[in-house]
Amino acid sequence: MNIKKLYERIIIRTLIVLLAIFFIINLAVPLFDALMPVILAFFLCLIIAPLINKIDDALPIKHKSVSYIVGTVILIIFLIIFLWAFQILIYQVNGLVTNIITNWNEIVKSTNELMAKINSEINLMPTFVHNAIQAGLKSALEFFENLQANAIKITLNFTSAFINTSSNAIFFTITFIVAFYIILGEMKKAAFKYTQVVADSSRDNISLVRKVFKNSTWNYVKAQLKLALLCTILMLIALKIIGQQFFIPIAILIGIVDLLPMIGPVIVMIPWAILEVLIFTNPQKGVAILIILAIWSGIRQVLAPKVIGSSADIHPLLSVIALYAGLRLFGVLGAIFMPVLMIFIVGLIRSGILDNWIHDYKEFYDYIRNLLNIGKRNIKVPED
């Protein structure tokens, strides 16, 4: 064993791992946000590329203008749908916030009555239980006060905020459109240059990584998005049936939290049902919310194994670790994307592309263990 070469490989690979961790923790989210218009343009071009290729193959004249024409039509349709959906969503969110402000006095009154009733009951309990319940009720009241304050702030400052961010929105749109047409025109040329510039061995490694990403991570992401979309549609219908006002943003919120592994809509719908029963004195609606949650949970339990398949076949403990670490580091977005990253890493390990790395670390560990004589000395424990 060449110890010097082993040391060099271990140092280089450890630095790569540490830099990757540093990048994920400190730079990934800001960089993703900064490149969002370019990323959206790239994915839109990727989606419409098969359609453009089919039209291009069917036409007798081969020209780049076909890509631009088809891309322009799809881009216009996409922008129209986006603006229409955004307008509806803004109207619903504004109505929901206004409704919270209008009924705030009633919410506070019901909360105070509930707290007074609970206080009269918990005085008979042990001191530590009494203090724990008091702290929980205080936190709940502070949550509602902050919610009301934020709602007022959002409503009063909505117009000014829109004006202040309009320049950013315009810049975002311009960047997206420019990047879209540049990528659209360079797609075929980029594919040709890739085969000419990148070496065969590097292409094989890249192809393997891409295959791992497609078979594990991307399939998992697509499956989760399908389930989240189905959840949103089901919630739209169910909340409309039970007469929930401004149901669109609520259904979208529930669909988003459905992306959270193992938690899902439970984190929203159970507290909501409790509030309906205890604060708003509407037990029928609270029970209806729980029934909707139970129905979706049952549907998800049936569909998830079929839709996701083996793409997320990792140990549940790893999912819990990824979920908690992502939540602590990056908030809700981290809780959504960190399990995806964990699935990709597990897929890379299973693919064999990191076998040399793992072998080097094992060899380095064995060398250090033998050097320090770990586990080879017989230690006599004195008897009592």
Side-chain angles (χ1 to χ4, degrees):
M1 178 174 58
N2 191 329
I3 298 301
K4 184 179 179 181
K5 292 292 184 182
L6 178 62
Y7 280 159
E8 291 176 354
R9 293 196 302 269
I10 288 295
I11 291 173
I12 292 173
R13 287 169 176 172
T14 303
L15 285 175
I16 292 174
V17 172
L18 293 176
L19 288 174
I21 295 173
F22 176 82
F23 173 80
I24 292 172
I25 294 177
N26 296 285
L27 301 177
V29 174
L31 188 62
F32 183 81
D33 181 65
L35 296 178
M36 180 59 72
V38 179
I39 294 172
L40 289 177
F42 174 77
F43 275 105
L44 184 58
C45 290
L46 205 62
I47 292 171
I48 67 176
L51 177 62
I52 293 175
N53 292 333
K54 288 183 180 180
I55 296 176
D56 192 40
D57 294 338
L59 294 176
I61 301 175
K62 312 297 180 184
H63 199 272
K64 189 185 292 187
S65 59
V66 176
S67 301
Y68 288 121
I69 294 172
V70 176
T72 301
V73 172
I74 294 176
L75 181 62
I76 292 173
I77 295 173
F78 171 79
L79 291 177
I80 291 174
I81 294 175
F82 174 78
L83 292 175
W84 171 75
F86 183 74
Q87 181 182 7
I88 294 177
L89 182 60
I90 289 297
Y91 170 77
Q92 291 261 322
V93 170
N94 187 56
L96 180 62
V97 172
T98 304
N99 188 48
I100 292 174
I101 296 172
T102 303
N103 298 288
W104 181 248
N105 291 331
E106 183 181 348
I107 295 173
V108 173
K109 180 181 177 181
S110 300
T111 304
N112 290 331
E113 291 176 354
L114 177 64
M115 291 181 67
K117 182 178 179 181
I118 294 176
N119 283 331
S120 64
E121 298 291 337
I122 64 176
N123 287 330
L124 302 175
M125 298 181 180
T127 305
F128 71 93
V129 177
H130 177 275
N131 293 336
I133 296 176
Q134 286 281 14
L137 291 174
K138 183 179 178 181
S139 298
L141 186 59
E142 289 176 353
F143 168 78
F144 280 115
E145 290 174 350
N146 292 332
L147 179 65
Q148 191 255 3
N150 291 333
I152 294 175
K153 185 178 179 181
I154 292 172
T155 303
L156 294 178
N157 297 333
F158 178 78
T159 303
S160 59
F162 179 78
I163 294 174
N164 292 333
T165 58
S166 60
S167 58
N168 293 332
I170 293 172
F171 183 70
F172 181 96
T173 304
I174 292 174
T175 305
F176 168 77
I177 293 174
V178 171
F180 174 78
Y181 281 107
I182 291 176
I183 297 172
L184 196 64
E186 299 293 329
M187 286 180 64
K188 292 183 178 180
K189 187 185 292 185
F192 176 76
K193 287 185 177 179
Y194 172 76
T195 58
Q196 295 294 318
V197 174
V198 181
D200 292 340
S201 58
S202 299
R203 286 208 305 270
D204 291 339
N205 290 331
I206 295 173
S207 177
L208 181 58
V209 173
R210 185 173 58 188
K211 184 178 179 181
V212 170
F213 178 79
K214 181 179 178 181
N215 292 339
S216 60
T217 314
W218 181 238
N219 285 345
Y220 171 77
V221 171
K222 286 195 300 183
Q224 291 288 17
L225 290 176
K226 289 178 182 178
L227 290 172
L229 178 61
L230 181 60
C231 176
T232 303
I233 294 172
L234 176 64
M235 294 301 164
L236 284 171
I237 297 172
L239 295 179
K240 179 66 175 178
I241 291 174
I242 66 174
Q244 174 63 45
Q245 280 187 307
F246 313 112
F247 58 93
I248 294 179
I250 299 175
I252 293 174
L253 173 63
I254 296 174
I256 292 174
V257 299
D258 186 70
L259 295 170
L260 295 173
M262 298 173 290
I263 299 177
V266 172
I267 197 173
V268 172
M269 300 188 74
I270 288 183
W272 181 16
I274 294 174
L275 291 176
E276 291 291 346
V277 174
L278 299 180
I279 303 299
F280 302 114
T281 61
N282 192 351
Q284 294 85 359
K285 187 174 181 181
V287 172
I289 292 170
L290 292 178
I291 292 174
I292 295 170
L293 175 61
I295 291 173
W296 169 245
S297 299
I299 293 174
R300 206 182 199 287
Q301 288 294 325
V302 174
L303 293 181
K306 298 179 181 179
V307 175
I308 298 177
S310 60
S311 58
D313 186 20
I314 64 173
H315 197 280
L317 181 60
L318 293 178
S319 297
V320 173
I321 293 173
L323 176 65
Y324 182 76
L327 188 63
R328 294 286 295 177
L329 292 173
F330 307 115
V332 176
L333 286 178
I336 293 174
F337 288 105
M338 194 62 78
V340 175
L341 179 62
M342 181 67 73
I343 290 171
F344 178 63
I345 293 173
V346 172
L348 284 179
I349 295 173
R350 289 175 177 171
S351 69
I353 195 172
L354 299 178
D355 284 354
N356 290 334
W357 287 51
I358 297 172
H359 177 269
D360 277 348
Y361 278 108
K362 286 182 177 179
E363 194 171 3
F364 181 71
Y365 169 75
D366 291 337
Y367 173 74
I368 296 298
R369 186 184 62 180
N370 293 329
L371 185 66
L372 299 178
N373 200 25
I374 297 175
K376 291 187 176 182
R377 290 176 291 180
N378 293 323
I379 301 176
K380 295 182 179 181
V381 179
E383 298 180 358
D384 294 335

